[in-house]
Every structure is written in structure tokens, then in C-alpha cells.
Amino acid sequence: MTINRRDLLGYGAAAIGAATLGLPKAAKAADELTIAYNVNLPSWDPTTGPSAVNPTIQGLYQSVFDQIIGQKPDLSFTPGLLTEWGWNDDRTKVTMTVRDGVKWHDGSPFTAEDVVWSLQRAGDEKTGNPIQFVWKNVNNFKIDGNKITGDVVQFDPVYFKWMSFLTGYILPKAYYEKVGAEGFEKAPIGTGPYMVDKFERNAFLRLKANPHYWGTKPAFENVTIKFVTDAASRVAEIESGSSQVTLEIPYEEYDRLIKKDGLAGSIKNVSDIGMIFFNDIEAMLDKNVRQAAVMAVDKELLVKRLLRGYGQPIATLETPEYTAFDPSIKVEHNPEKAKELLAASGYSTKKPVKFTIQTTKGFKPKDYEMIQAIVGMWRKVGIEANIEVYEIAKHYELRAADKLAPAAFYNWGNSIGDPTTSTGFAMYGPSPHSVWDSQDLIDMINPLWGEKDEAKRIAGWKAVDKYIAEQAYVLPLMQYAQPIVHSKKVNVVQHVSGALLPALMTPAA
């Protein structure tokens, strides 16, 4: 028998990995599901530390913990642990109704006290919640049965939207205070559709259906999630049958795998976008350089050639699913105009403007190759960019310190679709997530943070997006499509947030 490299990869990932981890080589029962996941899970507290704001692991958190306010696969909001929520007329108070009949995984009752304790903890800067600046805006909570009221310290129009986003989870007050942070890491409990059965860090997570779950009971009783960070190994997992579902594989492998007997696929535009930050340093202080850098990039070609047609070019930091998306904002691809702009600043192909662009390599499909292609497009108009590769953790570090290179590639996620969490955080100078600090943009954005008139707020953000496009303060590239490959024996419902949720999966008829 001849064994080729792909067979060996499959054997290594499936058989050897399963043996060393004590996992089944393939799911043997109709109520068992195995998933090859693309990231590890560093922490079980979904409200503190870097893990809490990592969009790629929210699907793991949402399997064990319910979000405060639910979110459907199309990103629309739905009752979760709260059944009702809202503001009073003058936006000085919030009201919330807590769902009755919910139990924690240990069988104890979920109460309004858990909600208030969790919100107060999230708003306390000492606890390390990275979204504390949102949660601190409401305090002085009062409980009356399953009703909660709170006083607004500073109006934040997206306060409730965050309850479906990063750190928007409730933890068990009595249990957490009993076992402490360390104990919670060892034995986490939530109210979600699945309970933690076994967890081996950097290896796998085994979940068991929650018998007390208040919502729709999961179709699969047992779920094993393998942490397989290498894309080629995830391909081997699904191809060998060791795993029944995987995600975020190269698009060419997606196209190949879905043609194989027994496999199917789902690929949908999600709320993630690819973008290039411009830092207001060096050459990027020249508007002609920025505009030329934007006009020289053929986004349609990038999507067609590198991403095999999956994804959608964008002109702003808003996708069609976002509330401030404005299809009238256009940015032309015009290499000849780019040359004219650069010439006006004294640059040409013989005398190019020079700067560094930073990028990840392998974090997203074709990220490095995309930057290589963009650098080639720039070279043709008079821009010479040096590529510097770094890990995504380094990007976060440099961005928080406002020390990114003049250009830096990044993948931005915004599953609540609000402009504050796309354009706002990415482009507002004082934000730790932004590196563009010009006062003109700060002055435009400032009034929008607390705008109480929703129509006026969204119109204001659209105006900001248009101004940013005109000034070329950032280079939006495309909205990503997320590839998922699965056994034909499993039905997968894709979530536009990008979260892969086993609770939405069912055995095929």
C-alpha cells in the first residue's frame, strides 16, 4: 500500500492525535459530534483578560455561557437571559426583566442577583474587564423580583447591544464567590446549552448537553472540540473523518473538499473585515500618499484571485449588515490618478515614497499573500513598501501603544453591527484600538458617542465614514467569507458573527 503525504497528515492528525488525547477516532453514536477548531481556549472567564475580546473563541464561550441578550444567526437580537430591556424616555434609567426558570449547570437557580453582581463586576476597573468603559455607564442597580432598574451615569447608545457581544455574559455569583477565580477556571459553570465535561488546555474540550437548559435542547448530547491551530491539520481532520466539522481553511481546500463524497460545505460573508490601518506618521501625513495608496489597490482582483471570489470588497469599515452601511460611498480604483497624486508630492516609480507595512501570516486566509499583492500594486504607481511580519499578539501590543508602522493589516470583527464598534473604535484617536489621531476626526466623532436620537446618530456616523473615505484615513479591503466544511451527516447553521455553535448543529436526516 502506498501512503502519500496527505494520507500521512490525515493519519497523524486523526489516529495519533486521538490516541494521545484519549479521544475517539470518529464519533460512534448519532448523538456525538467532533469539531476541529482553529484556536485554543486560554481562559474560562469570558469577561476578563485578552480572551474576553477575542472574537474567534466566542463560539466556545457561547456554548457554555448564555449571552445576556441573545443574537440570532442573522445578527438580529432576541431575548436571552433578559426577556425585556430598555431605557426610560429621557435615557436616565435602564430597566431589565430577568428570565424565570433558568438554572446554572450545578442545578442552582439563576437570579436577578447574578445579573446585578455580574454587571457591577464588569463595570469595576479592578476586575480587568476590557470593556469596562461600557459597563461602568450604568450603576445603582435595584432588584424587585425579576425586575432590575439602574441609573445611567453616562448615556451609551450601545449599552444593550454590548450584551450580545464581547464580555456580555453573566457569571454565577454564589458559585464564583465560593470557588474563586482559580476554582472557576478548573470547573466553570454557566447557563448555556452545554456543560464542560472535560478540558485539556491546548488539546481538547469535551462538552455534554445541559439537561436543565431553558432553551431548545441541543441535538448532540456529546461534543468534542479539538484545538487544531494548523490549517493543514484541520483539513486532514475533516478528510480522514476524525472530525465532522471544521472551519477557516484555505479557500482552495474548501473548494476541493466539498467535492468529495460524504462532505459538504457552507460559506457565508460574516461580520469580519480585512483592513489596513494608516498611522498618522511619516509618509501617511501626506494626503496625496494616502489617497494614492487607496486608489492603487484593486480590491475586486484581490477577492477574485486570492480569495477565489469569496468575500466582498468594501469602501468603508461598515459591511452591508451594519446599521451605518452607506452604499453611496465609493472609492475608485484608479492607478493613473494615484500616479498623479504622488507626482504632485514629488514621487514616481523612479523616485518612490517609502514606508513599512506590517501584516500577519496565516492568521486569516491569504493575509500575507494579499499584502504581497497590494505591495506589488503600489510599486506600479510609485510606492515602495517593506513588509514586516508579526504575530497578532504583537499587533495588539503595538496598536495599544500607538506604535504601528505607517500601514498595518488587521482583521476587524463587529458582530453587533454598530458603527461605534467599527469606525468608532478603529478611527477615534483617544481609543486604544486606533492609531489615527487627527483632531478633525476626533471633533466629528465626539458628539456621536452620547447621541440620544438614533436616526441622527446613524446619520452622523455615515457622514464620518464618508469623510474618512475622502481623506483616505484608512484602507478598507473586504468583508470576509467564512468557510466551514462538514460531514453530510451533520447539518450546520452558519452564524454571521463567525461563531461556530454546536448547539445550532443537528444530525442530517
Side-chain angles (χ1 to χ4, degrees):
M1 180 179 69
T2 301
I3 299 178
N4 61 29
R5 182 176 181 273
R6 189 174 297 281
D7 293 329
L8 188 60
L9 277 172
Y11 184 83
I16 298 175
T20 57
L21 299 179
L23 298 175
K25 291 174 65 173
K28 293 181 174 61
D31 62 352
E32 292 183 351
L33 177 68
T34 304
I35 300 171
Y37 211 72
N38 63 323
V39 291
N40 290 306
L41 180 65
S43 168
W44 270 113
D45 187 339
T47 68
T48 61
S51 298
V53 288
N54 183 345
T56 58
I57 61 176
Q58 297 307 307
L60 302 177
Y61 286 149
Q62 290 170 30
S63 297
V64 176
F65 308 98
D66 284 310
Q67 292 180 297
I68 306 173
I69 295 174
Q71 194 175 37
K72 297 178 181 178
D74 65 357
L75 301 187
S76 60
F77 300 107
T78 187
L81 293 178
L82 297 184
T83 57
E84 296 177 313
W85 58 90
W87 315 88
N88 64 349
D89 290 341
D90 63 2
R91 304 293 197 266
T92 59
K93 289 186 179 294
V94 300
T95 58
M96 296 173 276
T97 302
V98 177
R99 184 179 294 276
D100 287 323
V102 178
K103 292 183 178 180
W104 293 103
H105 290 162
D106 65 356
S108 61
F110 166 79
T111 68
E113 283 79 9
D114 292 311
V115 177
V116 168
W117 177 79
S118 294
L119 291 175
Q120 288 175 328
R121 178 174 176 265
D124 183 352
E125 62 181 10
K126 296 177 183 177
T127 61
N129 187 305
I131 313 297
Q132 181 265 347
F133 58 86
V134 171
W135 304 120
K136 70 179 178 60
N137 290 323
V138 178
N139 64 17
N140 194 28
F141 294 100
K142 292 183 173 60
I143 299 173
D144 182 8
N146 70 335
K147 305 288 186 182
I148 300 172
T149 59
D151 294 338
V152 175
V153 177
Q154 177 177 310
F155 176 71
D156 185 338
V158 294
Y159 179 76
F160 287 114
K161 289 185 178 182
W162 272 102
M163 293 185 179
S164 290
F165 199 26
L166 307 175
T167 77
Y169 303 92
I170 301 300
L171 298 187
K173 177 179 184 292
Y175 179 79
Y176 192 94
E177 290 180 337
K178 176 183 178 181
V179 303
E182 186 175 343
F184 192 80
E185 282 294 327
K186 293 179 179 177
I189 65 170
T191 59
Y194 283 101
M195 306 184 297
V196 176
D197 184 33
K198 188 174 182 180
F199 174 58
E200 292 289 343
R201 196 173 302 277
N202 300 318
F204 71 93
L205 165 65
R206 186 175 291 140
L207 300 173
K208 187 174 183 178
N210 175 11
H212 310 297
Y213 192 53
W214 59 268
T216 303
K217 179 177 171 58
F220 290 100
E221 180 68 22
N222 301 290
V223 176
T224 298
I225 297 173
K226 300 179 184 179
F227 302 132
V228 186
T229 58
D230 177 67
S233 296
R234 291 197 300 280
V235 169
E237 282 281 324
I238 195 75
E239 196 163 16
S240 68
S242 180
S243 292
Q244 296 157 289
V245 183
T246 195
L247 74 164
E248 296 291 5
I249 60 174
Y251 296 113
E252 60 270 23
E253 289 285 31
Y254 172 85
D255 285 343
R256 182 182 68 84
L257 289 170
I258 62 174
K259 296 176 183 177
K260 294 180 71 70
D261 290 342
L263 294 180
S266 173
I267 191 162
K268 179 181 289 187
N269 288 350
V270 292
S271 59
D272 287 3
I273 66 169
M275 61 179 285
I276 294 176
F277 277 104
F278 289 159
N279 198 353
D280 54 336
I281 58 173
E282 302 174 19
M284 290 307 172
L285 292 171
D286 186 333
K287 181 180 178 181
N288 288 338
V289 171
R290 298 195 308 271
Q291 289 183 320
V294 171
M295 288 184 179
V297 176
D298 189 342
K299 302 173 188 178
E300 296 277 356
L301 185 64
L302 291 175
V303 170
K304 182 179 180 180
R305 295 283 178 84
L306 284 177
L307 306 186
R308 299 175 72 89
Y310 297 119
Q312 174 173 302
I314 54 176
T316 71
L317 298 183
E318 319 290 342
T319 76
E321 292 80 12
Y322 295 5
T323 52
F325 176 71
D326 185 348
S328 71
I329 301 175
K330 307 288 185 183
V331 178
E332 64 176 329
H333 168 233
N334 191 335
E336 294 306 313
K337 182 59 183 279
K339 290 179 182 178
E340 293 174 8
L341 289 166
L342 289 170
S345 290
Y347 302 114
S348 67
T349 54
K350 293 182 179 180
K351 184 187 175 184
V353 59
K354 299 179 181 182
F355 57 80
T356 294
I357 180 168
Q358 295 164 320
T359 182
T360 50
K361 188 174 184 179
F363 178 67
K364 293 292 288 185
K366 302 297 183 182
D367 48 5
Y368 179 71
E369 293 83 354
M370 192 182 310
I371 296 306
Q372 284 183 309
I374 289 172
V375 167
M377 294 173 185
W378 283 346
R379 188 178 299 116
K380 292 178 181 179
V381 300
I383 297 173
E384 184 178 317
N386 173 58
I387 300 176
E388 177 186 314
V389 176
Y390 57 9
E391 296 296 326
I392 190 63
K394 187 64 175 180
H395 170 90
Y396 291 135
E397 176 188 328
L398 294 174
R399 194 175 73 193
D402 197 2
K403 292 183 178 179
L404 287 178
F409 173 82
Y410 182 64
N411 165 65
W412 190 278
N414 178 18
S415 68
I416 59 174
D418 195 90
T420 63
T421 44
S422 54
T423 300
F425 286 1
M427 300 306 300
Y428 182 65
S431 164
H433 309 289
S434 171
V435 292
W436 191 267
D437 304 314
S438 63
Q439 193 61 45
D440 57 341
L441 200 51
I442 292 172
D443 291 341
M444 280 191 76
I445 293 175
N446 268 335
L448 300 176
W449 294 119
E451 177 56 60
K452 296 180 180 180
D453 184 314
E454 184 67 0
K456 186 177 179 181
R457 184 176 77 90
I458 297 303
W461 281 113
K462 288 182 178 181
V464 169
D465 283 327
K466 183 178 181 180
Y467 181 74
I468 289 172
E470 292 169 347
Q471 299 297 317
Y473 284 155
V474 69
L475 175 45
L477 294 171
M478 78 284 297
Q479 177 183 14
Y480 276 108
Q482 182 189 59
I484 297 174
V485 178
H486 58 90
S487 164
K488 286 185 177 179
K489 295 180 180 180
V490 179
N491 294 320
V492 174
V493 176
Q494 196 159 4
H495 203 289
V496 177
S497 71
L500 187 65
L501 301 174
L504 295 180
M505 300 178 194
T506 58

